[in-house]
Amino acid sequence: MAVTKTYEEINEKIRRGEAVVVTAEEIIDIVKEDGVAKATAKVDVITTGTFGPMCSTGAFINFGHSDPPIKMAKVWLNDVPTYAGLAAVDAYIGATELSETLGMAYSGAHVIEDLIAGKNVKLHATAYGTDCYPRKEITTYINKDVLNETYLFNPRNAYQNYAVAVNSSARIMHTYMSTLMPRMGNATYCSASQLSPLINDPFYRTIGIGTRIFLGGAPGYVAWQGTQFNPMQARGENGVPVAPAGTLALIGDLKQMDTEFIRAATFHGYGASMFVGVGVPIPVLDEDVVEKAAVEDKDIYATIYDYSVQQRTRPNLGKVSYAELRSGKIEINGKQVRTAPISSYSKARKIAATLKEWVQAGKFFVQEPVQSFPMDSTFKPLEIVTEEEI
Amino acid sequence: MAKRKIVLHFPEESIDKPITYHLVKDYGLIPNILRAKIDENEGTLVMDLEGPKEKIDEAIEFLKEQHVTVQEAIKDIVVDRNICVDCGSCVGVCRPGALSINADDWTLVFDQEECIFCQLCIDTCPVRAIKLMF
C-alpha cells in the first residue's frame, strides 16, 4: 500500500519534534537515491523558497488618532503618496509608488523597508475637515512601534514561473526584467525554479487559501489566488507551466519581518519594485506530492520573449530549461547569449532552509487550505472599447 | 609632469584608429594601458596618461574629436556585500565577465581585474550595492 499522511498526522510529528523536513532541492537527490515510495514514507515536509522582485506588494497601515482627530484624505510617507480612501486613519502604501521629491530613488517599497528596519518615517496628511474630524493637516513622525496594525497585503507574489527576456533592437532597454542589452546581448530570467513554491506544487494541491507561509522573514498566509492567476497556461508533461501561470495574494505582519528577506528595489529607467522573500512548506500527503516536488531545473522550462516589441503579445523565441539558463549561456537562433538571473537563488535557498528550521523546531505547522484555487480561471486582456461595444 | 587615470570608450567607427600611437607621437605622452576590451561593436581602454598637464588636456581634446568618450578620475568599482542581495542583475550587463554568480552558493563574485569601468552595473543594481569610489 502506498503511504499517505494527513495534515493532522504531519502536525503531530512537528509538535513532537519528529518531523523529517527537507528543502525542495534536497528532495531531488533523496528521490534519486531512494525512489518516490521510500521518500514519501521518510519525509514529512518539503520547504520551498523564492526571493525576487514582486511589484504587486504593499502595506496597510493604521496610524491611530491624533488630538484633535483628522480624517486623512491625502497622505504622504517620506513624500511618497499613500492611498487613504479608506476610514479616517487607514492607508495603503504600494511598493511602486515613487517619491514626489526623489523620484525613482525612493519609493513605497523603500518606506516599507524603512518601517521594517525600525526607522522613523515622516507622515504628512491633509483633510477637508468634518464635525467629527476637525483637523485639516498633520505632520508627524511614525515608526513600527507606534503604529497600530501594519501588515503587508500583496495582491500578486510568487509567480509560478516567469519569462526569459531579450532585446533584439539596437538600443539598450530598461525594463522590469533589468537592463536588456541591444542585439540580444543578454537574457534575463526570474524564478527560483526548482526551489520555487508553485513550481513544486504545480496544480496547487497543498497551496490554497489559508496556507501558512514564510513572508519576508515572518509567518504569513495565502489570502487568495494572486491577480492574473492563470492556471490554464501551457504546461510540460510534468505539469509545470512553461510561462507565467499561478500567482499568490499574500498577507503577513510587517512588524515581525526582517530586511534580510524583504528589500526595496529600483530598476533603472523603469521604477520601483520590492524583493519579497516567500517560502511555502509542502506537506507530504502522498507519492504524487513528492514526485511533483522532486522536479529539477533540467525539466523546468521558460519561454523566451523579445521585449523590444512594445506590444501586449511579444514574439516568442522558443523555450529553454533553467539548467541551461543557470549555466550562464543559452543559444537563441544560433547566437550564444549571456544569461543573468534577477531573483536571488542564494536567498531562496536561505528561505527554504530557514523555514525548514522553523518546522523542525516545532514552531511552524502546515495548514490545510480552507479553499482550493479555481482551476478554470483565465487571464483576460483589457480591450479599448466604447460603452456600446463592451 | 602630471598623471591621470582615464577610461576611453570607442564607438564602432573609431575602433580601428591607432589612438595610442597619436598620444605618444603627437603629444609626447606616456600611456600605460591597464585594461582593454575591444570587439567589432565597441572598445574600452583604461589607461594612465603621463606627461605635461597641458599636453594631457590637448590629448583629451584630440580624443573627443575622434568621437572617443573620455571619463576621468576613475578609482574603483566596489560591491558593498552588506547591501547586495545576490540577485545577479549586474551580471547581465557586465560584458567582460567581471561580475558573475558562483555556481556553488549562488552568491555574486566580482573580479576587479576584469572590470573595464563601463559602470553599467552601477545603475543596473536594484539595491544600489555597487558604487564608484573616487
Side-chain angles (χ1 to χ4, degrees):
Chain A
M1 260 269 297
V3 173
T4 61
K5 300 174 201 177
T6 65
Y7 284 86
E8 291 72 24
E9 286 165 353
I10 294 167
N11 280 334
E12 185 50 37
K13 279 189 169 180
I14 295 172
R15 202 168 286 121
R16 292 201 303 261
E18 291 168 5
V20 176
V21 190
V22 303
T23 70
E25 263 185 330
E26 291 163 343
I27 194 68
I28 295 168
D29 286 336
I30 294 171
V31 165
K32 273 184 192 160
E33 279 165 32
D34 299 346
V36 172
K38 266 194 177 171
T40 306
K42 183 164 128 187
V43 177
D44 301 304
V45 180
I46 299 163
T47 60
T48 62
T50 186
F51 185 90
M54 306 184 194
C55 291
S56 253
T57 291
F60 280 105
I61 300 172
N62 180 281
F63 296 111
H65 292 279
S66 60
D67 191 19
I70 178 171
K71 177 172 141 40
M72 299 176 183
K74 302 274 183 209
V75 172
W76 293 262
L77 290 171
N78 282 351
D79 296 339
V80 178
T82 301
Y83 183 73
L86 300 161
V89 294
D90 280 334
Y92 184 82
I93 180 145
T96 67
E97 190 74 50
L98 301 181
S99 158
E100 287 186 348
T101 47
L102 299 174
M104 283 189 197
Y106 194 86
S107 67
H110 293 86
V111 172
I112 293 168
E113 182 182 326
D114 283 348
L115 284 173
I116 294 169
K119 290 186 186 166
N120 298 327
V121 169
K122 184 175 133 189
L123 162 64
H124 176 66
T126 58
Y128 49 79
T130 72
D131 288 344
C132 44
Y133 293 106
R135 184 184 287 275
K136 290 186 176 175
E137 193 175 3
I138 188 170
T139 301
T140 183
Y141 285 83
I142 56 154
N143 61 41
K144 67 177 175 183
D145 295 329
V146 301
L147 290 171
N148 292 310
E149 293 73 16
T150 304
Y151 49 87
L152 264 71
F153 187 94
N154 308 338
R156 183 167 73 252
N157 279 177
Y159 239 123
Q160 186 181 27
N161 211 343
Y162 210 76
V164 179
V166 295
N167 163 24
S168 71
S169 79
R171 69 173 183 95
I172 199 163
M173 289 185 74
H174 303 292
T175 76
Y176 63 82
M177 290 296 282
S178 189
T179 306
L180 299 177
M181 303 293 270
R183 294 175 284 274
M184 290 200 209
N186 64 356
T188 60
Y189 60 98
C190 187
S191 175
S193 51
Q194 62 192 10
L195 263 178
S196 182
L198 291 177
I199 282 180
N200 283 284
D201 183 9
F203 295 104
Y204 332 111
R205 269 193 70 199
T206 70
I207 303 173
I209 296 168
T211 299
R212 187 179 290 112
I213 60 157
F214 171 111
L215 181 60
Y221 293 88
V222 175
W224 206 255
Q225 68 267 28
T227 53
Q228 299 182 190
F229 187 74
N230 188 17
M232 314 275 269
Q233 181 61 268
R235 291 171 186 264
E237 276 175 31
N238 55 8
V240 177
V242 295
T247 61
L248 301 174
L250 304 177
I251 190 164
D253 185 4
L254 177 146
K255 294 185 183 188
Q256 295 181 57
M257 290 183 186
D258 179 345
T259 54
E260 183 176 359
F261 297 114
I262 179 161
R263 292 280 297 279
T266 303
F267 286 98
H268 180 66
Y270 169 76
S273 186
M274 190 141 213
F275 281 108
V276 181
V278 180
V280 181
I282 297 178
V284 174
L285 302 177
D286 55 27
E287 291 184 7
D288 173 62
V289 169
V290 171
E291 205 178 329
K292 296 288 197 298
V295 70
E296 58 184 308
D297 281 349
K298 71 177 176 59
D299 299 315
I300 305 167
Y301 284 80
T303 308
I304 306 162
Y305 293 99
D306 185 352
Y307 275 59
S308 69
V309 176
Q310 296 175 320
Q311 287 168 7
R312 185 166 67 200
T313 308
R314 301 185 175 100
N316 167 345
L317 302 176
K319 292 177 185 59
V320 65
S321 79
Y322 279 94
E324 292 168 89
L325 286 165
R326 292 197 190 282
S327 76
K329 263 195 178 129
I330 56 171
E331 202 179 292
I332 305 173
N333 299 336
K335 181 182 156 80
Q336 291 279 313
V337 179
R338 187 179 55 246
T339 61
I342 64 165
S343 82
S344 173
Y345 196 72
S346 75
K347 289 272 189 195
R349 266 188 183 163
K350 196 155 194 183
I351 289 164
T354 304
L355 186 52
K356 174 179 164 174
E357 283 171 24
W358 289 0
V359 179
Q360 280 173 332
K363 295 193 291 193
F364 196 98
F365 296 89
V366 291
Q367 174 62 51
E368 183 173 7
V370 293
Q371 187 172 307
S372 296
F373 295 143
M375 292 303 288
D376 57 353
S377 172
T378 55
F379 176 21
K380 295 188 278 289
L382 173 63
E383 302 303 353
I384 301 165
V385 295
T386 63
E387 198 176 356
E388 289 73 37
E389 283 167 340
I390 194 166
Chain B
M1 290 285 269
K3 191 172 174 180
R4 263 144 95 182
K5 188 187 266 188
I6 56 169
V7 184
L8 307 179
H9 295 289
F10 300 81
E12 200 174 340
E13 64 267 28
S14 302
I15 49 178
D16 55 352
K17 289 181 184 157
I19 296 288
T20 323
Y21 167 83
H22 289 293
L23 293 176
V24 178
K25 184 85 171 118
D26 303 348
Y27 298 93
L29 299 174
I30 308 168
N32 181 19
I33 297 173
L34 304 170
R35 284 164 219 181
K37 166 99 183 165
I38 299 157
D39 62 27
E40 67 275 16
N41 293 323
E42 52 194 323
T44 302
L45 269 184
V46 182
M47 62 166 71
D48 276 334
L49 216 47
E50 201 176 340
K53 191 188 168 299
E54 62 276 11
K55 286 288 172 194
I56 294 178
D57 290 339
E58 284 172 31
I60 287 174
E61 276 312 304
F62 158 75
L63 290 167
K64 287 177 179 167
E65 283 161 20
Q66 306 302 309
H67 305 292
V68 175
T69 311
V70 185
Q71 281 171 255
E72 292 185 68
I74 296 295
K75 271 283 198 307
D76 258 323
I77 302 254
V78 177
V79 180
D80 187 336
R81 297 298 314 168
N82 294 321
I83 299 174
C84 175
V85 296
D86 300 303
C87 66
S89 288
C90 57
V91 173
V93 296
C94 187
R95 280 194 309 129
L99 291 157
S100 61
I101 291 279
N102 178 329
D104 292 327
D105 65 3
W106 291 92
T107 57
L108 184 71
V109 181
F110 178 41
D111 181 354
Q112 235 150 0
E113 293 300 305
E114 297 295 320
C115 174
I116 57 165
F117 300 111
C118 73
Q119 301 177 46
L120 274 174
C121 56
I122 292 175
D123 281 341
T124 294
C125 175
V127 293
R128 301 287 174 263
I130 307 179
K131 290 173 185 131
L132 201 55
M133 303 299 280
F134 288 96

